[in-house]
Amino acid sequence: MSVNLEFVARVGKWPRQRKDEVLAALAAWAYQDEGFDKLDVVVDIRGGSARDPVVRMEAYTTGPVIISRFGVWSAETEERLRGRIAAAGGEDVSLRFTFPDEE
């Protein structure tokens, strides 16, 4: 079954000297492993301002994306994400889904 969803993949901690490697791992997960287009998923470092003080890396959708076989995909994609980030030296990884059709 296919579903429309939005997601935020977040990395909350990384060694300062590994910042580039962890960000590259997050991008590789989004664009290579999962095959998303750069128009559909943005990979960035966010936060650090007075309004948004928590610095984190995120890969997030710009709108709903269609995912086939969500039940299988969600578990597998989270495993790939955690593996990529751990290998690059990052930690505190989360993957949160929202389903706009259900809101």
Side-chain angles (χ1 to χ4, degrees), residues 38-84:
K38 291 183 179 183
L39 296 175
D40 294 326
V41 175
V42 175
V43 177
D44 201 1
I45 297 176
R46 303 186 73 186
S49 69
R51 294 188 89 158
D52 188 7
V54 178
V55 177
R56 73 257 181 215
M57 293 181 187
E58 289 185 349
Y60 56 93
T61 53
T62 58
V65 294
I66 298 172
I67 300 296
S68 298
R69 298 178 57 231
F70 174 74
V72 172
W73 176 84
S74 63
E76 291 175 353
T77 196
E78 186 166 2
E79 185 177 321
R80 286 188 292 269
L81 172 64
R82 290 183 183 283
R84 281 265 192 190

Side-chain angles (χ1 to χ4, degrees), residues 23-40:
L23 188 60
L26 185 59
W29 168 79
Y31 303 133
Q32 294 171 15
D33 296 350
E34 304 309 322
F36 290 111
D37 187 276
K38 291 183 179 183
L39 296 175
D40 294 326

